[in-house]
Amino acid sequence: MNSRSLARALLASVALAASIVLAGCDTDQVSLATNAKANQPVPPKLVAAMAEKDMDLNSPILIRLFKQEAELEIWKQTRSGQFALLKTYPICRWSGDLGPKVREGDRQAPEGFYSINPSQMNPQSAYYLSFNTGFPNAFDKALGRTGSQLMVHGDCSSRGCYAMTDEQIAEIYSLGRESFFGGQKAFQFQAYPFRMTPVNMAKHRNNPNMAFWKMIKEGYDHFEVTRQEPKVDFCEKKYVFDAAKAPDAKRDPVFDASAKCPAYVIPEEIASAVREKQQRDEAEYNKLVAKGTPVARLNTGIDGGMNKIFAAKIPEGSTGLSEGAEGNTLQMLAMAKAPGTIPGTVNPPKPNLEPVASTPQDEPVVAVSAPATNTRVASVAPAEKSGGFFSNLGRKMGLSTADTTATTPPPQATASVTPAPASTTPPTAASRLKAAVTRFVPGHDKSKDNAVAAAKPAETKVAATRPALKPSVNDGAGDTASSSGGPLAGAAPVVSSNSFDSRFGAVK
């Protein structure tokens, strides 16, 4: 009897090992859930927060994530059956642009609705701990989108994933683990470009991804009005939320992401609540557009984003495409405690150096901002042999336009120059220089300055260029430290009989 029980346990372990063939951004190996990192208990402070919000430790969870805000939310089901927000985690790093992932290697972090089951949890990640988002889902596959091993993991390093600190992913992982132990088959992962508010929709109204964003906003609205995990289906290469069997149907509708949608209905209590919310949102959106709400700039070449709490603690830190903070705000945040350990190898968002021309034609059009047309970058040409002291000195000071070469076409560069008053003898560089010098001489008649100023071309200040950012982080550089397998500092001892594989084996 004992030998048969041992054999069953060994077979369960082998099955679990085979099911966890996951990777932390393409670098992880087959693993067993028998390490201390994967079995850390939920922190007592978080357990206390659950009790305050009428949640059970093993109740189902749901995750929402927002790129622009660089935040990840953990929602947990209360004893009433609805979901309530448990905790919001700032995201340490995400890569790519606002918009969905389209192809393997585009560095895009996915957007949309995904389902995370126990086999997608990776306790042996090279990035401390991780779970696979499940990209591509049926909708992505129907559109021919490609990509693999898109994770939420630790180590604050990303090339298509959502990266947290090790301490953060330890908490998130433990919450997912406990929900599985409580019987949840899979938890929903919702990834958005930004919070789907009228203000954000108005700001991004010219983005080529707007049609897709309006489609996933439908699911966002379903969750907002019901506080229930929306049922997700796909047909005709689109998302369908909370679809139910039609009253006269004999069986539940069968959905195929690439096929025609079957007959279905959305329960009226959900449909009416969503409709009312969308009408309010549309009215607010129209007001914002009518009053000229500025449109957000499209991709400026910056690769991804970082929450401001992390950017404030990194030399030359930048929030990139995430909502930033400037000046005093960043200085104040630098004094706050970071939510976890920031690796020394972390790199803030930086410009994408790939040429724009390499973007395939079927990708969303990305507008790259060009330098202002009235900016002139001039280089001084060799001085002429004649002209005298004041003339030569004038050239060195940029008062003569005859010896400069501008990078912008001459008509654009001089379009803002005010024509000089008609004169039979235009002022020379030497005379302009003498006038400039004599303005500082006591007793100088300033009434003569107007003629000199009118003859001088308008100048455009060129903003000082920031120092070049550090090179890209070698994504494998932090693997050794981040996959050590030991518990976090201050973690409670782990009871071996409460391990992931033993408890999950019982549930499975």
XYZ file of all heavy atoms in Angstrom, residues 249-332:
624
model
N -32.344 28.738 -27.873
C -31.299 27.788 -28.271
C -31.348 26.539 -27.406
O -31.733 26.580 -26.233
C -29.928 28.443 -28.156
N -30.965 25.408 -28.002
C -30.979 24.133 -27.287
C -29.627 23.801 -26.657
O -29.534 22.889 -25.832
C -31.394 23.017 -28.246
C -32.827 23.165 -28.766
C -33.200 22.011 -29.678
C -34.638 22.158 -30.178
N -35.020 21.033 -31.082
N -28.599 24.503 -27.075
C -27.275 24.239 -26.511
C -26.479 25.531 -26.435
O -26.838 26.543 -27.057
C -26.532 23.201 -27.351
C -26.280 23.657 -28.774
C -25.369 22.687 -29.504
N -25.021 23.181 -30.820
C -24.046 22.673 -31.572
N -23.346 21.643 -31.117
N -23.794 23.174 -32.763
N -25.440 25.489 -25.664
C -24.588 26.672 -25.515
C -23.899 26.997 -26.838
O -23.566 26.084 -27.616
C -23.533 26.427 -24.441
C -24.123 26.333 -23.044
O -25.180 26.955 -22.827
O -23.534 25.642 -22.185
N -23.681 28.277 -27.125
C -23.011 28.645 -28.377
C -21.567 28.162 -28.399
O -20.895 28.114 -27.369
C -23.090 30.179 -28.368
C -23.237 30.550 -26.927
C -24.022 29.447 -26.303
N -21.115 27.782 -29.565
C -19.739 27.324 -29.754
C -18.981 28.414 -30.522
O -19.396 28.811 -31.615
C -19.696 25.991 -30.532
C -18.249 25.573 -30.770
C -20.454 24.906 -29.779
N -17.885 28.871 -29.931
C -17.142 29.984 -30.515
C -15.849 29.507 -31.164
O -15.174 28.602 -30.661
C -16.809 31.020 -29.435
C -18.001 31.812 -28.971
C -18.809 31.342 -27.945
C -18.308 33.028 -29.571
C -19.905 32.072 -27.511
C -19.412 33.764 -29.147
C -20.207 33.279 -28.114
N -15.533 30.125 -32.273
C -14.266 29.897 -32.984
C -13.744 31.261 -33.391
O -14.450 32.026 -34.048
C -14.496 29.002 -34.206
C -13.195 28.648 -34.920
O -12.292 29.505 -35.003
O -13.082 27.493 -35.391
N -12.526 31.572 -32.998
C -11.983 32.919 -33.227
C -11.966 33.310 -34.695
O -12.093 34.498 -35.024
C -10.570 33.008 -32.649
N -11.832 32.336 -35.582
C -11.752 32.646 -37.015
C -13.066 32.448 -37.753
O -13.172 32.785 -38.932
C -10.672 31.776 -37.676
O -9.408 32.018 -37.099
N -14.074 31.915 -37.073
C -15.344 31.600 -37.732
C -16.406 32.649 -37.421
O -16.215 33.534 -36.588
C -15.814 30.215 -37.301
N -17.536 32.501 -38.098
C -18.656 33.406 -37.866
C -19.192 33.219 -36.446
O -19.207 32.124 -35.905
C -19.758 33.124 -38.885
C -20.946 34.062 -38.784
C -21.993 33.734 -39.847
C -23.203 34.656 -39.724
N -24.233 34.356 -40.749
N -19.630 34.319 -35.848
C -20.145 34.263 -34.482
C -21.445 33.458 -34.433
O -22.325 33.633 -35.288
C -20.407 35.662 -33.951
S -18.912 36.635 -33.653
N -21.602 32.588 -33.440
C -22.869 31.862 -33.280
C -23.918 32.787 -32.672
O -23.619 33.909 -32.248
C -22.494 30.742 -32.307
C -21.405 31.345 -31.469
C -20.623 32.239 -32.393
N -25.143 32.307 -32.615
C -26.202 33.087 -31.970
C -25.961 33.099 -30.460
O -25.720 32.056 -29.851
C -27.558 32.481 -32.283
N -25.982 34.282 -29.868
C -25.770 34.395 -28.426
C -26.425 35.679 -27.936
O -26.807 36.549 -28.721
C -24.285 34.393 -28.075
C -23.538 35.638 -28.513
C -23.447 36.760 -27.677
C -22.909 35.695 -29.754
C -22.762 37.896 -28.080
C -22.226 36.829 -30.155
C -22.148 37.928 -29.311
O -21.485 39.058 -29.707
N -26.576 35.772 -26.635
C -27.103 36.985 -26.028
C -26.201 37.361 -24.854
O -25.455 36.523 -24.337
C -28.554 36.784 -25.513
C -29.495 36.492 -26.664
C -28.607 35.685 -24.461
N -26.278 38.627 -24.468
C -25.608 39.087 -23.256
C -26.705 39.358 -22.234
O -27.682 40.045 -22.551
C -24.791 40.358 -23.529
C -23.690 40.064 -24.543
C -24.194 40.904 -22.232
C -22.894 41.278 -24.973
N -26.605 38.795 -21.039
C -27.657 39.010 -20.038
C -28.013 40.482 -19.919
O -27.141 41.343 -19.853
C -27.019 38.474 -18.759
C -26.053 37.433 -19.234
C -25.513 37.955 -20.527
N -29.313 40.772 -19.886
C -29.790 42.144 -19.948
C -29.280 42.996 -18.788
O -28.983 44.180 -18.968
C -31.316 42.172 -19.981
C -31.921 43.572 -20.104
C -31.412 44.355 -21.300
O -31.065 43.727 -22.321
O -31.341 45.601 -21.216
N -29.165 42.422 -17.600
C -28.691 43.225 -16.470
C -27.251 43.696 -16.686
O -26.877 44.792 -16.279
C -28.803 42.437 -15.159
C -27.955 41.186 -15.052
C -28.627 39.946 -15.613
O -29.620 40.098 -16.362
O -28.163 38.837 -15.290
N -26.456 42.868 -17.373
C -25.089 43.274 -17.693
C -25.098 44.226 -18.872
O -24.440 45.284 -18.844
C -24.217 42.038 -18.007
C -24.106 41.122 -16.795
C -22.828 42.480 -18.468
C -23.312 39.845 -17.051
N -25.836 43.887 -19.915
C -25.865 44.702 -21.128
C -26.337 46.118 -20.847
O -25.774 47.095 -21.351
C -26.744 44.041 -22.181
N -27.379 46.255 -20.042
C -27.918 47.594 -19.761
C -26.943 48.415 -18.921
O -26.760 49.617 -19.162
C -29.268 47.482 -19.047
O -29.133 46.788 -17.815
N -26.291 47.794 -17.943
C -25.322 48.516 -17.112
C -24.121 48.960 -17.934
O -23.633 50.092 -17.794
C -24.879 47.633 -15.946
N -23.663 48.084 -18.831
C -22.537 48.436 -19.697
C -22.941 49.546 -20.652
O -22.180 50.489 -20.894
C -22.044 47.200 -20.475
C -21.049 47.600 -21.559
C -21.401 46.186 -19.522
N -24.135 49.459 -21.194
C -24.613 50.472 -22.138
C -24.676 51.849 -21.477
O -24.258 52.848 -22.071
C -25.993 50.055 -22.660
C -26.507 50.889 -23.817
C -27.631 50.177 -24.555
N -28.660 49.683 -23.648
C -28.913 48.382 -23.436
N -28.201 47.453 -24.053
N -29.881 48.008 -22.604
N -25.176 51.913 -20.247
C -25.246 53.187 -19.537
C -23.857 53.758 -19.276
O -23.632 54.953 -19.443
C -25.993 52.996 -18.216
C -27.479 52.732 -18.377
C -28.156 52.417 -17.049
O -27.466 52.535 -15.998
O -29.353 52.071 -17.047
N -22.920 52.910 -18.888
C -21.548 53.377 -18.645
C -20.931 53.910 -19.936
O -20.286 54.966 -19.951
C -20.685 52.241 -18.087
C -19.231 52.674 -17.818
C -18.364 51.517 -17.374
C -16.963 51.986 -17.033
N -16.274 52.691 -18.131
N -21.119 53.189 -21.022
C -20.524 53.610 -22.287
C -21.143 54.912 -22.794
O -20.448 55.727 -23.407
C -20.674 52.490 -23.318
C -19.810 51.275 -22.986
C -19.971 50.140 -23.979
O -20.954 50.095 -24.726
N -19.034 49.213 -23.982
N -22.406 55.115 -22.520
C -23.042 56.384 -22.921
C -22.453 57.548 -22.130
O -22.205 58.622 -22.689
C -24.555 56.294 -22.711
C -25.263 55.401 -23.719
C -26.726 55.164 -23.392
O -27.203 55.529 -22.285
N -27.459 54.547 -24.309
N -22.227 57.339 -20.839
C -21.587 58.387 -20.028
C -20.165 58.655 -20.517
O -19.735 59.812 -20.641
C -21.570 57.970 -18.553
C -22.938 57.883 -17.896
C -22.816 57.757 -16.377
N -22.021 56.602 -15.969
C -22.526 55.404 -15.722
N -23.833 55.198 -15.859
N -21.746 54.416 -15.329
N -19.438 57.588 -20.795
C -18.058 57.733 -21.268
C -18.012 58.464 -22.609
O -17.161 59.328 -22.832
C -17.399 56.359 -21.413
C -17.090 55.712 -20.075
O -17.220 56.406 -19.037
O -16.719 54.520 -20.062
N -18.941 58.124 -23.499
C -18.964 58.743 -24.831
C -19.274 60.236 -24.734
O -18.673 61.055 -25.434
C -20.004 58.033 -25.706
C -20.011 58.483 -27.160
C -18.780 58.042 -27.930
O -18.068 57.134 -27.450
O -18.534 58.600 -29.012
N -20.211 60.590 -23.854
C -20.548 62.004 -23.679
C -19.349 62.781 -23.146
O -19.050 63.886 -23.617
C -21.741 62.141 -22.724
N -18.661 62.208 -22.187
C -17.479 62.874 -21.628
C -16.366 62.965 -22.668
O -15.677 63.978 -22.788
C -16.992 62.110 -20.391
C -15.769 62.711 -19.708
C -16.012 64.095 -19.156
O -17.185 64.446 -18.910
O -15.024 64.843 -18.960
N -16.192 61.899 -23.447
C -15.187 61.878 -24.517
C -15.461 62.992 -25.532
O -14.549 63.731 -25.933
C -15.210 60.510 -25.194
C -14.396 60.400 -26.465
C -13.058 60.055 -26.421
C -14.980 60.639 -27.714
C -12.307 59.951 -27.593
C -14.249 60.535 -28.875
C -12.915 60.185 -28.811
O -12.174 60.101 -29.966
N -16.693 63.127 -25.942
C -17.047 64.160 -26.927
C -16.777 65.566 -26.390
O -16.331 66.451 -27.131
C -18.513 64.017 -27.327
C -18.769 62.768 -28.152
O -17.867 62.262 -28.825
N -19.990 62.238 -28.090
N -17.038 65.783 -25.110
C -16.745 67.085 -24.510
C -15.252 67.370 -24.541
O -14.813 68.485 -24.852
C -17.239 67.121 -23.062
C -18.755 67.167 -22.909
C -19.133 67.196 -21.422
C -20.648 67.199 -21.241
N -21.014 67.163 -19.799
N -14.460 66.361 -24.211
C -13.008 66.533 -24.176
C -12.450 66.825 -25.566
O -11.575 67.667 -25.737
C -12.352 65.276 -23.604
C -12.624 65.009 -22.117
C -12.217 63.589 -21.742
C -11.865 66.018 -21.262
N -12.967 66.124 -26.566
C -12.503 66.358 -27.940
C -12.938 67.737 -28.412
O -12.170 68.467 -29.048
C -13.042 65.263 -28.879
C -12.714 65.606 -30.339
C -12.453 63.909 -28.507
N -14.180 68.137 -28.080
C -14.706 69.426 -28.512
C -13.903 70.594 -27.939
O -13.720 71.620 -28.604
C -16.174 69.551 -28.118
N -13.429 70.452 -26.732
C -12.660 71.542 -26.142
C -11.177 71.473 -26.475
O -10.375 72.241 -25.952
C -12.874 71.591 -24.630
C -12.161 70.513 -23.839
C -12.405 70.741 -22.347
C -11.595 69.766 -21.487
N -11.812 70.000 -20.054
N -10.819 70.550 -27.347
C -9.454 70.503 -27.854
C -8.449 69.826 -26.949
O -7.287 70.273 -26.860
N -8.837 68.744 -26.295
C -7.891 67.995 -25.470
C -6.697 67.592 -26.325
O -6.866 66.999 -27.392
C -8.561 66.740 -24.889
O -9.622 67.136 -24.026
C -7.560 65.896 -24.110
N -5.486 67.924 -25.904
C -4.294 67.607 -26.705
C -4.183 66.114 -26.986
O -4.506 65.283 -26.131
C -3.135 68.093 -25.826
C -3.731 69.104 -24.909
C -5.133 68.633 -24.651
N -3.739 65.806 -28.183
C -3.555 64.417 -28.583
C -2.173 63.956 -28.139
O -1.185 64.675 -28.309
C -3.705 64.268 -30.109
C -3.362 62.856 -30.551
C -5.120 64.624 -30.533
N -2.099 62.760 -27.577
C -0.811 62.217 -27.141
C 0.073 61.949 -28.351
O -0.413 61.517 -29.407
C -1.030 60.938 -26.354
N 1.349 62.228 -28.194
C 2.294 61.942 -29.266
C 2.390 60.447 -29.486
O 2.344 59.663 -28.546
C 3.671 62.493 -28.915
C 3.725 64.008 -28.827
C 5.075 64.484 -28.321
N 6.148 64.108 -29.217
C 7.445 64.290 -28.934
N 7.799 64.814 -27.770
N 8.373 63.933 -29.788
N 2.502 60.054 -30.737
C 2.711 58.643 -31.030
C 4.147 58.286 -30.676
O 4.915 59.117 -30.198
C 2.412 58.373 -32.505
C 0.952 58.624 -32.922
C 0.777 58.311 -34.402
C -0.004 57.790 -32.093
N 4.513 57.050 -30.908
C 5.814 56.540 -30.475
C 6.950 57.488 -30.854
O 7.151 57.821 -32.010
C 6.057 55.166 -31.110
C 7.286 54.498 -30.536
O 8.023 55.083 -29.747
N 7.504 53.268 -30.939
N 7.695 57.901 -29.844
C 8.833 58.785 -30.069
C 10.131 58.006 -30.163
O 11.206 58.593 -30.164
C 8.941 59.792 -28.914
O 9.078 59.066 -27.674
C 7.709 60.677 -28.841
N 10.054 56.698 -30.238
C 11.260 55.884 -30.288
C 11.701 55.377 -28.931
O 12.706 54.695 -28.822
N 10.950 55.703 -27.884
C 11.294 55.236 -26.544
C 10.796 53.804 -26.369
O 9.697 53.470 -26.774
C 10.669 56.144 -25.473
C 11.258 57.549 -25.580
C 10.900 55.584 -24.074
C 10.601 58.559 -24.658
N 11.639 52.962 -25.781
C 11.307 51.559 -25.615
C 10.711 51.304 -24.239
O 11.419 51.160 -23.258
C 12.570 50.709 -25.808
C 12.292 49.221 -25.628
O 11.119 48.827 -25.743
O 13.243 48.460 -25.381
N 9.376 51.277 -24.167
C 8.704 50.874 -22.951
C 8.626 51.928 -21.870
O 8.804 53.119 -22.114
N 8.347 51.457 -20.656
C 8.149 52.390 -19.555
C 8.555 51.814 -18.221
O 8.936 50.644 -18.100
N 8.436 52.659 -17.198
C 8.837 52.316 -15.840
C 8.056 53.210 -14.892
O 7.873 54.402 -15.158
C 10.350 52.547 -15.689
C 10.890 52.470 -14.283
S 12.696 52.772 -14.229
C 13.297 51.164 -14.737
N 7.576 52.643 -13.805
C 6.852 53.448 -12.832
C 7.778 54.499 -12.227
O 8.969 54.257 -12.006
C 6.278 52.559 -11.734
C 5.324 53.301 -10.828
O 5.726 54.025 -9.933
N 4.033 53.123 -11.075
N 7.217 55.670 -11.936
C 8.023 56.793 -11.470
C 8.735 56.529 -10.146
O 9.792 57.114 -9.894
C 7.150 58.044 -11.357
C 5.924 57.882 -10.480
C 4.969 59.054 -10.650
C 3.684 58.848 -9.863
N 2.704 59.918 -10.124
N 8.203 55.639 -9.313
C 8.863 55.350 -8.046
C 10.213 54.691 -8.291
O 11.172 54.892 -7.535
C 7.972 54.453 -7.149
C 8.594 54.292 -5.761
C 7.748 53.096 -7.780
C 8.661 55.552 -4.956
N 10.332 53.916 -9.375
C 11.604 53.297 -9.721
C 12.496 54.261 -10.490
O 13.711 54.313 -10.270
C 11.367 52.025 -10.535
C 10.637 50.954 -9.792
C 9.335 50.617 -10.122
C 11.239 50.282 -8.745
C 8.652 49.635 -9.431
C 10.568 49.292 -8.042
C 9.269 48.967 -8.388
N 11.900 55.017 -11.407
C 12.684 55.970 -12.195
C 13.377 56.996 -11.312
O 14.474 57.466 -11.620
C 11.791 56.670 -13.213
N 12.738 57.351 -10.191
C 13.305 58.353 -9.293
C 14.553 57.857 -8.583
O 15.317 58.655 -8.042
C 12.260 58.766 -8.253
N 14.790 56.545 -8.592
C 15.901 55.989 -7.840
C 17.040 55.502 -8.720
O 17.986 54.881 -8.231
C 15.392 54.838 -6.962
C 14.381 55.304 -5.927
C 13.905 54.184 -5.048
C 12.942 54.722 -3.998
N 13.561 55.730 -3.133
N 16.941 55.764 -10.010
C 17.958 55.299 -10.951
C 18.650 56.498 -11.591
O 17.978 57.440 -12.019
C 17.308 54.431 -12.048
C 16.626 53.224 -11.407
C 18.329 53.984 -13.070
C 15.805 52.418 -12.368
N 19.975 56.506 -11.663
C 20.667 57.608 -12.344
C 20.151 57.754 -13.768
O 20.016 56.768 -14.492
C 22.135 57.161 -12.328
C 22.233 56.249 -11.153
C 20.914 55.528 -11.087
N 19.826 58.983 -14.133
C 19.252 59.272 -15.448
C 17.953 58.489 -15.652
O 17.585 58.121 -16.765
C 20.228 58.941 -16.575
C 21.509 59.755 -16.525
C 22.444 59.440 -17.681
O 22.057 58.634 -18.551
O 23.542 59.998 -17.702
N 17.246 58.245 -14.548
C 16.001 57.483 -14.624
C 14.943 58.189 -15.453
O 14.822 59.413 -15.430
N 14.187 57.417 -16.204
C 13.127 57.955 -17.050
C 11.929 57.020 -16.983
O 12.087 55.801 -16.923
C 13.606 58.083 -18.494
O 12.525 58.331 -19.376
N 10.729 57.597 -16.981
C 9.518 56.769 -17.000
C 9.157 56.327 -18.415
O 8.279 55.501 -18.595
C 8.333 57.538 -16.403
O 8.198 58.789 -17.091
C 8.542 57.793 -14.920
N 9.829 56.884 -19.421
C 9.572 56.481 -20.791
C 8.158 56.750 -21.221
O 7.663 57.874 -21.135
N 7.457 55.716 -21.674
C 6.084 55.862 -22.140
C 5.070 55.767 -21.010
O 3.873 55.887 -21.255
C 5.780 54.788 -23.198
C 6.588 54.883 -24.492
C 6.287 53.715 -25.404
C 6.322 56.199 -25.207
N 5.538 55.552 -19.790
C 4.628 55.543 -18.646
C 4.413 56.962 -18.161
O 5.162 57.880 -18.518
C 5.194 54.680 -17.514
O 5.276 53.330 -17.906
N 3.390 57.159 -17.341
C 3.138 58.484 -16.799
C 4.296 58.878 -15.904
O 4.664 58.150 -14.987
C 1.821 58.485 -16.007
C 0.605 58.373 -16.901
C -0.690 58.471 -16.113
O -0.643 58.287 -14.889
O -1.725 58.731 -16.729
N 4.882 60.037 -16.191
C 6.087 60.442 -15.486
C 5.861 61.461 -14.400
O 4.753 61.858 -14.092
N 6.965 61.849 -13.826
C 6.989 62.909 -12.820
C 8.240 63.719 -13.087
O 9.255 63.196 -13.514
C 7.010 62.315 -11.420
N 8.180 64.994 -12.868
C 9.303 65.857 -13.186
C 9.787 66.617 -11.960
O 9.064 66.812 -10.988
C 8.891 66.873 -14.281
C 8.421 66.228 -15.572
C 9.496 65.416 -16.265
O 10.690 65.685 -16.026
O 9.152 64.507 -17.040
N 11.016 67.063 -12.039
C 11.575 67.984 -11.058
C 11.413 67.558 -9.620
O 11.881 66.513 -9.194
N 10.728 68.407 -8.863
C 10.585 68.186 -7.434
C 9.854 66.887 -7.110
O 10.127 66.255 -6.092
C 9.839 69.370 -6.790
C 10.653 70.652 -6.847
O 11.878 70.599 -6.902
N 9.980 71.785 -6.831
N 8.917 66.495 -7.989
C 8.168 65.272 -7.712
C 9.084 64.067 -7.705
O 9.012 63.211 -6.823
C 7.057 65.076 -8.759
O 6.243 66.247 -8.804
C 6.199 63.874 -8.418
N 9.963 63.968 -8.703
C 10.910 62.861 -8.738
C 11.872 62.928 -7.554
O 12.239 61.899 -6.983
C 11.703 62.877 -10.051
C 11.049 62.182 -11.251
C 11.929 62.302 -12.476
C 10.776 60.717 -10.947
N 12.279 64.139 -7.178
C 13.174 64.278 -6.037
C 12.496 63.799 -4.759
O 13.124 63.152 -3.918
C 13.611 65.739 -5.892
C 14.505 66.216 -7.033
C 14.839 67.691 -6.925
O 14.517 68.327 -5.923
N 15.467 68.235 -7.950
N 11.210 64.097 -4.620
C 10.480 63.639 -3.443
C 10.330 62.122 -3.452
O 10.473 61.457 -2.420
C 9.105 64.307 -3.384
C 9.156 65.812 -3.106
S 7.536 66.598 -3.269
C 6.626 65.738 -1.982
